[in-house]
Structure formats: C-alpha cells, structure tokens
Amino acid sequence: MGHNIVFWSPVPGQTGNTTNLIAVAALLGLEYSSRIVLFGHLQSRRAAVEQALIKRRSEDMLAFTADSGIDALARLAQNGKLSPEMIRDYTLPLLQERLDLLPGSNKADKALIMGMKDMLATLLDSAKRYYDLTLIDGGSGVGSGWTQLLLQNADLVIVSLNQNRFVLERFFRHREDWLKGKKLLFVLGQYDRDSALTAKNMVRKYRVKMPIYPVPHQAGFMDAAQEGRAIDFLFRNRNVPRDHAHHAFMQCVRALAQAIIEQAELNKPFFGGKGV
C-alpha cells in the first residue's frame, strides 16, 4: 500500500508550497525507483504544476481532454468502475514507469467539490493501491472544503512555511487541532540563508522535535518551471559541484525528497547506484 502525501501551507502565496511540490516530485522521479503519481491543483487545468512540467507542445496537450484527468476518474468512481490499475490510463507519463501527472478538472471549483465529495477517498485509496507515492497540491489554509478533504485523507502532510515571524508564531504557537496525530514534515520555502531566522534557529526557538527542511529560492529553477522545463533543470543540475550556483538548491530538494522516502518507508535505491 502506498502513501498519500499532501503539500499544504497555512498561508497563501508566501511559502513556495507549489514550487516545493514540483521540485520534489521531479527529483523523486529522477532519482528513486518508486512509482509516483502527481496530483496538481486538481480544481484547475493548466495550473502551475502542469505548466511547470509540461512543455507547450501539441502532442503533450492531447492529454488534456475530457477523457483524461480527474474528471474521467470521477466518472468511473461514481459508476463503481474505478480500479487501481486504471488510474495510470488517465494520467500523462512524465518519466516512464516512475512519474505520472494527473491533469486537473475542467469544472468550476464548486462543481468539482460537490461532485467529488463522496468519491475523493475512493480515488485516493485506489491511487495508493497502484502507486508508491501520491503527491498532492493541497493549497493553503483550511477554509476550502477541498483542502480539508485532502488533509483528512493524507498519510503525510508537508507543511510549507517561510521566514516570516508572524507566520511562524501563528503556526507553532496555535497549531491547528486537525494536525494532531498526522505525520508531518516542515519545509521553509523561498529560503534565504542570510536571514537570522535560519532553519536551525527555528528548531530551537519553537522547540520543534524534528528537522525543518529549507528550500532556497532559485531563479533558474523558477524560470525553467515557467517554460515547462522543471524536470530538465533538475536533470541537468543533479551532479553540479559544490561551488555551482545551483548546488545548494539541489542539495536541499534532495534532502526533502529523501525525508519523504524515509517517512513512507520506501527504502528503494537511487538511480545511478546510490542508496537511501
């Protein structure tokens, strides 16, 4: 049985939550032998996740039809015809046998939530039975019924934070009750290593009993993602030397990817001979 892993932030637009998801998903696909499916922001096709991973070519866009993605799977689930093996048939393969992308919905947000309310658990359970990891963009806050459903069904929540004192104080001093009992990993997105609020300082200040994983802002990666070249960027920079401009970013994303693998107890080796 696989794991549902939701990337979520307590605040919108500040923590790089979606960027963290894109980078980790791509690197997991490149370096681990696990079978992974990526659910982007399922309420909107051509959202950031899809734009970052799909080059704007006509053959790629053929996958974005009414017969693909979450809309098609929802119809199958509603009719009791969805089986775990069928999910991959409605995804777009990004890395053969390693990373698939499930396109989002063509429906308006409210219509999707109403239609999926009773089927989301079935869909996520089916994904777990076929894939080792199901990575999901859970958005931010808890005001959305869709986000709440995703978090309720999560086996692991990746909590995206930043170096904003207000955000950190609010989260660590008044942590939401629904997080209790959940497996968590903390990430500092858009990280600036020159800030006084380093990851190590936060662990001490807020008495966090686990590491906090920084993911630096990397302009080169952001540019590549805007052009649908996120996977290409990570592939090219996998083995850059320590003095390279992209080295810190790659090492941080790799550390987070490995932490997710360990939390999911998937001790599968890296491609290229390295072990977890």
Side-chain angles (χ1 to χ4, degrees), residues 73-108:
L73 294 180
R75 289 194 297 272
L76 290 169
Q78 188 174 27
N79 296 324
K81 296 180 179 180
L82 180 64
S83 66
E85 295 76 16
M86 295 171 68
I87 292 179
R88 68 174 299 184
D89 295 333
Y90 296 88
T91 63
L92 180 64
L94 300 176
L95 294 167
Q96 196 66 33
E97 299 298 327
R98 285 178 279 162
L99 179 62
D100 296 334
L101 172 66
L102 181 70
S105 177
N106 285 320
K107 298 178 181 178

Side-chain angles (χ1 to χ4, degrees), residues 2-73:
H3 288 71
N4 289 331
I5 299 174
V6 176
F7 282 66
W8 171 84
S9 174
V11 294
Q14 299 182 38
T15 63
N17 184 63
T18 299
T19 301
N20 299 339
L21 169 62
I22 293 165
V24 166
L27 196 66
L28 283 168
L30 286 168
E31 295 195 336
Y32 287 87
S33 57
S34 301
R35 183 179 290 167
I36 303 163
V37 62
L38 174 58
F39 290 15
H41 195 272
L42 298 179
Q43 296 166 247
S44 175
R45 289 207 170 178
R46 299 304 296 152
V49 170
E50 295 168 7
Q51 292 174 0
L53 296 168
I54 302 172
K55 295 176 183 177
R56 297 178 183 277
R57 300 180 302 175
S58 58
E59 60 264 34
D60 291 322
M61 297 307 293
L62 292 175
F64 292 86
T65 69
D67 294 322
S68 69
I70 192 171
D71 290 336
L73 294 180

Side-chain angles (χ1 to χ4, degrees), residues 49 96 112 114 217:
V49 170
Q96 196 66 33
L112 177 68
M114 291 299 294
H217 175 79

